[in-house]
Amino acid sequence: MSDLITTDLVRLDAELGTDKHDVIRALARIVGDAGRATDVDQLVEDAFAREATSATGLPGGIAIPHCRTAGVAEPVLAFARLSPAVDFGAKDGAADLVFLISAPAGGDNTHLQLLTKLARALVKPAFTDALRSASSPEEVAALVTDVVGAPPAPKHAAPADAAAPASAAAPAPAAPAGQRHLVAVTACPTGIAHTYMAAEALEAAAARAGVDLQVETQGSAGAKPLAPETIAAADAVIFAVDVGVRDRHRFAGKPLVSSGVKRPFDEADAMITEALARADDPNAPRVEGGSGGGDAAAATTGGSGESWGGRTRRVLMTGVSYMIPFVAAGGLLIALSFLLGGYEIVGPYGDIAVDNSLFDLPDAQALGLDHALFHNVSSGLANLCAYIGALFFIIGKTAFMLFIPALAGYIAYAIADRPGIAPGFVMGGLAANLFGVQNSADPAVSLPATGFLGAIIGGVLAGVIAHWVGSWKVPTWMRGLMPVLIIPLFTSITAGLLMIVVFGKPIGWLMDQLNAGLNSLSGSSAIILGVILGLMMAFDMGGPLNKVAYSFAAAGVGGAAVATDSPQLKIMAAVMLAGMVPPLALALATVLRPKLFNQAERENGKAAWALGASFITEGAIPFAAADPLRVIPAIMLGSAVTGGLSMALDVGVRAPHGGIFVLFAVSNIVGYLIALVAGVVVGASAVIALKSFHRKDTPETADTAAPELVSV
């Protein structure tokens, strides 16, 4: 590999133009004149494109225009000390030190790690002062080479394939006892410079504050995921990113400070202070979780130490967490359509959407919509509600049609990262028989619709095959084609044939048997199922058992789609109600017998009212963590009572989330409230009884406060 910078790539006290585009063009020509660019125009175009996403000027008179480009064959740095300085968009004024950092589009991670080391050095005043005082190009080249010339061993980046779904996560060194712990993720669109400079700035600020900070840099040089135990021990998380955080669910429930990647350059100390303050604030913003009341126990990305069980759960929960918004949007919209147009809307919705408009409303009475809203008050209002209800029904049903492809697509994504998404969605489309493939017989026979089981199997197939294809060693010229053509094409063909030819009929038969079993549930068998689901929801409050129960129910709601009376809707009601009980029961207990709880628990009890009402089961975690042997059995009893009562009273709910805020999506609202209140009272009574039976100490004078609330 050629030297990253040589003397013919350095200009001192140069006038390269009046604006940043002139400077970038001039530096690109310098790269070309030195024989280091294969296409100067392409280099300029890619550098301009990167500049358009966000300014590359930094505090302290520095600018780092950079890009990944086909215009260079290997990494190269061009440097100019400008006179006069030129504005690159930094808050504190123009830049006099400018690096044009160019990395090849298919460059390997070793090259990129050299650029990482330069990016980290640029936030250190000693390095920039030396660049300003350098008297010759040789001195500048030597300074830069000293920074990047050693074998790469960056603190956070690892020579791992950034497209892999997970890399080995090494635990961080132990911090002194009593020290506060934070974690952070930094990422920018190209992942070359800002990613690592932001990490360096945050680390320096944390060191000044005496805080232990571990940073995961999601850059082009790869990323070594933070160890699960490091994330678990963190008091809060900082996201300094201009792109999405990969595997964001790992941080679910952590107090969050979020900003663009450039904020740490100016305000790193303030961000550390803000993170510590939010760690102590039970009402602070938190990283959102997946479903079923959050994801406080969300699995982390895998690594060499991840068990098969943990990896399986991570993959499935990733798919479920991305599926839930489709089910939620679809379920609520269909519930609203029934509220507005009545259950009869499932018949004429197509005629209404095609033949009518806001200025030509349908005749609700003529269409047989006898339960349209306001049908007994005003025909005009009823007609308007029928029209809006029909449109809501169409939008909601469309969302439902996509939830199975989303489940499969994001399961594949959890295994193979972005190259797995497209073939995963294709497998989900096959599982849902998205465009109704059938023969010409009368009656017609359709290709088996394998439902959510098919989506899970198809998503896993697509992810495994895509990950395998992505590991192939291919020529450099083919690397760019792999994620956009070769991986999705080969994976879709291979996994698709397996789904249709091998797995379709067996999975279809299994789904038929499962649906038949659910439809036959009645009486005691339904109540027992409700009790079991209630116990699962309360046992680990967002953990594996809770998520299994929730995923089963949410997938059922999606499968029930537009049914007006389905056992899947009753299962969803039992799961939702049971998940609301633990935080509500504990909140009630803190009101009835406050002296049984310390001050921190009483404060968490206030928040638990809202969390429980919203179906966020994790509101009970602080209480269970402090006193598991008495709290967990008590809330399991309350949730079991609620789950059984819900099934016994035939309560149904079409929405997969929302708690009391989706009552319009509930059938048998009275039964819903009876089941909820009964479980909350039983749970609170059991907590009070168990805590009164044997008190370890006086909560008012307890030395240790309850753990901070973990919610989403």
Side-chain angles (χ1 to χ4, degrees):
M1 182 179 72
S2 303
D3 290 338
L4 199 61
I5 188 170
T6 55
T7 56
D8 53 354
L9 293 168
V10 177
R11 298 292 186 270
L12 297 181
D13 304 319
E15 183 177 353
L16 298 184
T18 58
D19 65 22
K20 63 181 181 179
H21 294 98
D22 292 338
V23 174
I24 291 172
R25 286 191 194 94
L27 288 171
R29 285 195 296 271
I30 291 170
V31 174
D33 293 343
R36 301 292 294 275
T38 58
D39 187 338
V40 172
D41 291 338
Q42 185 65 51
L43 171 56
V44 172
E45 180 181 341
D46 291 334
F48 282 0
R50 169 60 186 89
E51 198 72 20
T53 63
S54 63
T56 54
L58 304 174
I62 304 167
I64 50 166
H66 58 278
C67 63
R68 299 188 64 140
T69 176
V72 299
E74 58 184 5
V76 59
L77 295 176
F79 171 76
R81 190 171 68 201
L82 300 178
S83 180
V86 173
D87 183 15
F88 272 78
K91 292 180 180 179
D92 62 348
D96 63 326
L97 302 179
V98 182
F99 279 97
L100 175 62
I101 307 175
S102 309
D108 64 31
N109 291 328
T110 301
H111 296 158
L112 294 169
Q113 288 175 56
L114 299 178
L115 300 179
T116 296
K117 300 181 79 173
L118 172 66
R120 288 180 172 277
L122 284 171
V123 299
K124 298 177 180 177
F127 180 64
T128 54
D129 290 345
L131 291 175
R132 288 191 171 93
S133 63
S135 58
S136 66
E138 289 80 7
E139 189 175 350
V140 170
L143 283 169
V144 175
T145 301
D146 286 344
V147 169
V148 302
K155 181 175 180 180
H156 302 292
D161 184 356
S167 303
Q179 189 176 26
R180 302 297 296 273
H181 304 274
L182 300 175
V183 292
V185 176
T186 60
C188 73
T190 53
I192 293 176
H194 288 86
T195 299
Y196 305 100
M197 297 173 72
E200 189 75 25
L202 288 171
E203 288 168 346
R208 289 191 292 271
V211 174
D212 173 56
L213 173 70
Q214 302 298 323
V215 185
E216 179 179 309
T217 51
Q218 296 185 352
S220 293
K224 175 169 284 189
L226 292 167
E229 55 269 28
T230 301
I231 296 174
D235 299 307
V237 60
I238 297 171
F239 289 161
V241 298
D242 285 340
V243 293
V245 175
R246 291 200 291 269
D247 297 316
R248 184 186 180 99
H249 62 274
R250 295 173 294 153
F251 304 92
K254 292 293 181 184
L256 173 65
V257 173
S258 183
S259 76
V261 73
K262 295 181 69 174
R263 187 187 174 199
F265 303 152
D266 298 308
E267 304 175 9
D269 294 296
M271 292 180 74
I272 297 297
T273 301
E274 188 177 341
L276 294 175
R278 291 191 176 180
D280 297 328
D281 181 2
N283 298 314
R286 295 172 185 266
V287 181
E288 70 279 4
S291 55
D295 208 357
T300 62
T301 53
S304 58
E306 185 179 30
S307 68
W308 277 104
R311 184 176 306 165
T312 300
R313 176 176 176 265
R314 172 177 59 82
V315 167
L316 292 178
M317 287 305 104
T318 298
V320 169
S321 67
Y322 282 103
M323 174 197 80
I324 293 305
F326 292 90
V327 179
L332 291 173
L333 282 167
I334 288 175
L336 285 170
S337 76
F338 288 165
L339 175 68
L340 295 171
Y343 288 107
E344 299 91 347
I345 199 70
V346 298
Y349 68 88
D351 294 333
I352 294 173
V354 173
D355 299 335
N356 299 107
S357 69
L358 280 172
F359 306 102
D360 180 21
L361 295 173
D363 186 335
Q365 185 176 4
L367 291 169
L369 302 179
D370 297 332
H371 295 90
L373 195 63
F374 301 122
H375 71 283
N376 288 327
V377 177
S378 166
S379 60
L381 285 175
N383 294 343
L384 177 61
C385 290
Y387 179 70
I388 297 173
L391 300 186
F392 279 12
F393 183 86
I394 292 169
I395 299 170
K397 189 172 181 180
T398 302
F400 265 137
M401 291 180 69
L402 294 175
F403 95 87
I404 287 180
L407 174 61
Y410 287 103
I411 284 175
Y413 165 74
I415 298 172
D417 209 358
R418 282 178 291 183
I421 291 180
F425 266 82
V426 172
M427 296 311 104
L430 291 174
N433 194 7
L434 204 57
F435 67 101
V437 179
Q438 61 184 27
N439 63 16
S440 57
D442 188 15
V445 178
S446 300
L447 197 69
T450 54
F452 74 91
L453 287 180
I456 292 171
I457 294 173
V460 170
L461 271 177
V464 170
I465 294 171
H467 189 263
W468 172 60
V469 176
S471 68
W472 292 355
K473 301 297 182 183
V474 298
T476 302
W477 62 267
M478 193 184 291
R479 291 177 185 170
L481 295 175
M482 289 293 285
V484 297
L485 175 61
I486 296 172
I487 295 176
L489 176 62
F490 183 89
T491 302
S492 297
I493 292 173
T494 307
L497 289 174
L498 286 171
M499 283 297 295
I500 295 173
V501 177
V502 179
F503 297 111
K505 290 183 178 179
I507 300 173
W509 176 86
L510 186 59
M511 285 296 296
D512 290 340
Q513 301 307 305
L514 178 60
N515 288 330
L518 289 175
N519 288 325
S520 68
L521 282 176
S522 62
S524 60
S525 60
I527 295 173
I528 291 171
L529 177 61
V531 169
I532 293 172
L533 291 172
L535 292 171
M536 293 174 69
M537 289 300 294
F539 175 70
D540 53 3
M541 294 156 286
L545 281 177
N546 174 286
K547 286 296 183 284
V548 168
Y550 180 79
S551 301
F552 172 65
V557 169
V562 299
T564 57
D565 183 22
S566 170
Q568 286 90 343
L569 304 183
K570 297 174 184 177
I571 290 171
M572 186 69 251
V575 165
M576 183 183 293
L577 286 165
M580 296 165 65
V581 166
L584 290 175
L586 288 160
L588 179 60
T590 62
V591 172
L592 296 177
R593 292 291 302 277
K595 292 186 177 181
L596 293 176
F597 302 90
N598 61 33
Q599 182 60 37
E601 288 174 324
R602 291 197 292 272
E603 288 300 314
N604 284 335
K606 297 175 183 177
W609 286 110
L611 295 171
S614 304
F615 181 32
I616 299 178
T617 315
E618 283 85 345
I621 286 178
F623 303 92
D627 192 4
L629 295 180
R630 290 182 289 183
V631 169
I632 293 177
I635 60 177
M636 287 178 67
L637 177 61
S639 291
V641 168
T642 290
L645 273 177
S646 175
M647 295 295 282
L649 296 171
D650 288 332
V651 179
V653 62
R654 189 170 301 281
H657 215 295
I660 64 171
F661 301 103
V662 292
L663 285 178
F664 63 86
V666 172
S667 60
N668 189 3
I669 294 178
V670 173
Y672 183 96
L673 296 175
I674 290 173
L676 178 61
V677 171
V680 169
V681 170
V682 169
S685 300
V687 168
I688 291 171
L690 290 175
K691 280 185 169 287
S692 300
F693 180 72
H694 174 64
R695 296 175 61 176
K696 293 180 292 185
D697 50 29
T698 302
E700 295 293 328
T701 58
D703 293 331
T704 57
E708 290 293 334
L709 180 63
V710 178
S711 65
V712 295

